[in-house]
Amino acid sequence: MTELEKKQSAAPVPAGWDYAAAPEARDIVSIAERYGLYVGGEWLEPRSGEWYTTISPATEEPLAEVAQAGPEDVGLAVAAARGALDDGWSGLRGSERAKYLFRIARVLQERAREFAVLESLNGGKPIRESRDVDLPLAAAHFFYYAGWADKLEYAFPNRRPRPIGVAGQIIPWNFPLLMLAWKIAPALATGNTVVLKPAETTPLTALLFCDVLRQAELPPGVVNIVTGDGRTGAELVTADVDKIAFTGSTDVGKAIRREVAGTQKKLTLELGGKAANVIFDDAPLDQAVEGIVNGIYFNQGHVCCAGSRLLVQESVYEDVIRKLKQRMGTLRVGDPLDKNTDVGAINSRQQLEKIEELVRSGEEEGAEIYQPACRLPERGYWFAPAVFTEVAQSHRIAQEEIFGPVLSVLTFRTPEEAVEKANNTPYGLSAGVWTDKGSRILWMAERLRAGVIWANTYNRFDPASPFGGYKESGFGREGGLHGLEPYLEFE
């Protein structure tokens, strides 16, 4: 017995626990060497004769060559959409249009793993987010708007809704497939046709989506995909379309608004943000810290509604910062296709340089930066999660959208001061409030100038809930019943 006890006590005790690599299989998705333009249900070579290479931001490896659409290519896509509109799509019964949307939703669900891998490969976001957030929400939006397609007269009683016509849609690189769903689903449900331009750096899931349209047997020309850089987007804005829907930077949004001013084109813009995440002293702090992390480090901070400004009541400031730094130390940065990864690659070299420039400005202006120790891959575009303390309202990092995994922390003493600081920004897209008092949540929500306000949570989305902003965060709403109206005219 004594011998046995000695043997047991001699067993090695592990010094710590680590995660073994858990990579998702890349071979589930097949990437073509070259992609043309999807116009009128067919793949066309670009009349421009131009191509560019799209890469993986995690490794900088080339993934595929993609067409750069020129003026003639955009014109062909708009003509195809106009032809499909006049050929019966706009007059199709809502219940018939719904069938196509239901099919698209089901095919996305069936091919979810394939799309998730491609989304992470081309965009750099962790596979857990692509798999558990982007794909389910994209399919849910098609399901949701399929349900509205035959109920438009009930949605808008005493009004006679009819489709606008051809919608030109321009989407960003942070949520390529989800933004595609946000744009295309309500447009089709209301009887419009579409010309969509995905972001230059993340076109691959939009191009794979063309195969979903084939499987769903959507009539040719109802949805057309043209790829390219900002020149292609500019051509689409000036083309013969009836509506422009844009999600992206505030500067580009302003340029688009100037361009369509004086025309009959309808316009909706979902632009930048500098959201305040407000923590009161009675908030459940551990839960709030998880909300802070989800609010700013989700998708590497590449989120328009990211909670990039943290406002903490002074009495709990030290506890919150201590818990936040401890939690940041557990975040795993690395391969986007590893299921253990929390923070993936920055989307492009250009975006990484912008993040680094703004971080330098924060240090130069006197803020204190903290980044947990982590080993970044040698290739690709990477930035370790960061938090700034000692931040002043006048600092650039407290006013400008960084669009990266960088948090700026400010303090407040009273609810009135919290509201004043939260609203002291050109943006008004979203906000978060953490408190145990329901009355305080309602009081804050009434005074915060933001389109979406989360209470004791952050970054929660539902197809039935409208999303959009005020001030320089744009105008118009996507999602919910409100998302139908921008695609309709009323008699």
Side-chain angles (χ1 to χ4, degrees):
M1 191 69 180
T2 309
E3 235 179 88
L4 182 61
E5 285 174 358
K6 283 182 180 177
K7 285 181 181 178
Q8 285 178 339
S9 62
V13 178
W17 299 98
D18 201 1
Y19 287 85
E24 175 61 281
R26 272 187 64 164
D27 57 6
I28 192 172
V29 61
S30 176
I31 303 175
E33 291 184 9
R34 174 176 278 192
Y35 290 92
L37 306 168
Y38 188 74
V39 176
E42 298 180 357
W43 291 101
L44 304 181
E45 296 275 307
R47 301 291 179 95
S48 68
E50 293 183 50
W51 304 82
Y52 70 93
T53 301
T54 186
I55 68 169
S56 163
T59 62
E60 301 179 64
E61 64 174 301
L63 296 176
E65 279 196 326
V66 180
Q68 168 69 44
E72 192 176 353
D73 300 307
V74 172
L76 284 173
V78 173
R82 186 76 62 190
L85 185 78
D86 298 337
D87 196 33
W89 178 258
S90 62
L92 199 64
R93 285 187 306 164
S95 58
E96 293 299 312
R97 290 199 304 271
K99 291 178 183 178
Y100 291 106
L101 289 166
F102 277 126
R103 288 176 195 166
I104 291 170
R106 286 196 296 268
V107 174
L108 279 177
Q109 286 183 323
E110 291 164 2
R111 301 178 64 173
R113 188 179 174 201
E114 179 185 0
F115 271 94
V117 169
L118 189 58
E119 192 86 323
S120 291
L121 196 58
N122 196 201
K125 67 175 59 186
I127 186 68
R128 288 193 299 112
E129 295 175 7
S130 299
R131 179 194 65 198
D132 298 342
V133 179
D134 294 38
L135 263 298
L137 271 176
H141 273 80
F142 280 102
F143 275 123
Y144 176 78
Y145 281 110
W148 274 119
D150 63 345
K151 303 176 185 67
L152 299 179
E153 292 185 3
Y154 299 98
F156 305 100
N158 301 318
R159 304 165 79 185
R160 296 181 62 187
R162 60 184 178 85
I164 292 174
V166 177
Q169 303 177 328
I170 303 170
I171 59 175
W173 44 259
N174 55 340
F175 291 93
L177 190 67
L178 182 56
M179 293 297 101
L180 176 149
W182 278 27
K183 297 286 190 291
I184 291 180
L188 299 192
T190 48
N192 299 277
T193 55
V194 167
V195 179
L196 180 133
K197 190 200 90 68
E200 176 188 4
T201 58
T202 55
L204 294 186
T205 45
L207 294 168
L208 183 59
F209 181 75
C210 298
D211 196 49
V212 173
L213 301 177
R214 177 194 62 78
Q215 281 186 264
E217 299 179 349
L218 191 73
V222 173
V223 172
N224 307 273
I225 309 284
V226 292
T227 51
D229 57 20
R231 293 173 292 166
T232 305
E235 290 294 337
L236 184 55
V237 170
T238 58
D240 180 29
V241 296
D242 303 296
K243 174 190 167 53
I244 292 292
F246 172 77
T247 297
S249 73
T250 296
D251 288 341
V252 175
K254 289 177 179 178
I256 292 173
R257 191 171 190 183
R258 285 192 293 268
E259 188 64 45
V260 303
T263 71
Q264 297 300 309
K265 294 176 184 175
K266 284 202 169 188
L267 177 65
T268 50
L269 299 173
E270 195 265 277
L271 308 175
K274 193 68 180 175
N277 211 355
V278 184
I279 314 293
F280 284 95
D281 56 6
D282 63 338
L285 295 189
D286 291 329
Q287 180 183 336
V289 166
E290 292 303 310
I292 295 165
V293 168
N294 185 49
I296 185 59
Y297 304 124
F298 173 70
N299 196 26
Q300 298 77 254
H302 298 334
V303 185
C304 297
C305 57
S308 54
R309 289 184 302 145
L310 179 63
L311 303 183
V312 185
Q313 198 154 18
E314 283 188 1
S315 56
V316 292
Y317 170 78
E318 291 184 3
D319 286 342
V320 169
I321 297 302
R322 175 178 53 80
K323 288 173 178 287
L324 176 60
K325 289 181 177 180
Q326 185 179 12
R327 179 66 176 90
M328 288 173 67
T330 68
L331 295 176
R332 296 178 295 278
V333 183
D335 180 9
L337 290 182
D338 191 324
K339 301 183 189 75
N340 295 319
T341 296
D342 297 302
V343 181
I346 302 301
N347 183 262
S348 65
R349 183 181 298 279
Q350 180 184 10
Q351 185 59 32
L352 178 59
E353 290 172 353
K354 177 187 174 184
I355 294 168
E356 290 173 338
E357 190 270 327
L358 280 166
V359 165
R360 281 195 300 272
S361 78
E363 293 178 292
E364 290 165 2
E365 289 180 318
E368 294 183 9
I369 189 172
Y370 170 79
Q371 290 177 289
C374 65
R375 191 173 174 182
L376 300 179
E378 294 180 5
R379 294 196 62 190
Y381 313 128
W382 305 92
F383 195 87
V387 58
F388 274 106
T389 52
E390 305 298 326
V391 178
Q393 284 282 98
S394 59
H395 288 176
R396 287 180 64 197
I397 56 172
Q399 291 293 324
E400 297 182 31
E401 184 177 38
I402 299 175
F403 223 61
V406 182
L407 179 65
S408 299
V409 185
L410 301 99
T411 61
F412 68 91
R413 292 181 179 178
T414 65
E416 290 79 8
E417 184 185 357
V419 169
E420 186 176 355
K421 285 186 173 180
N423 288 339
N424 185 18
T425 170
Y427 299 104
L429 188 57
S430 58
V433 179
W434 297 81
T435 175
D436 196 40
K437 294 183 175 67
S439 58
R440 181 178 284 164
I441 289 170
L442 297 174
W443 189 91
M444 291 288 291
E446 187 179 13
R447 289 160 177 79
L448 289 171
R449 191 66 174 158
V452 177
I453 299 170
W454 287 288
N456 293 329
T457 188
Y458 207 91
N459 271 342
R460 299 293 180 184
F461 296 94
D462 187 277
S465 179
F467 182 86
Y470 298 102
K471 299 189 286 188
E472 291 194 8
S473 290
F475 53 83
R477 294 294 181 266
E478 294 178 302
L481 174 63
H482 302 70
L484 294 167
E485 196 161 359
Y487 291 95
L488 292 170
E489 292 179 331
F490 299 93
E491 297 176 358

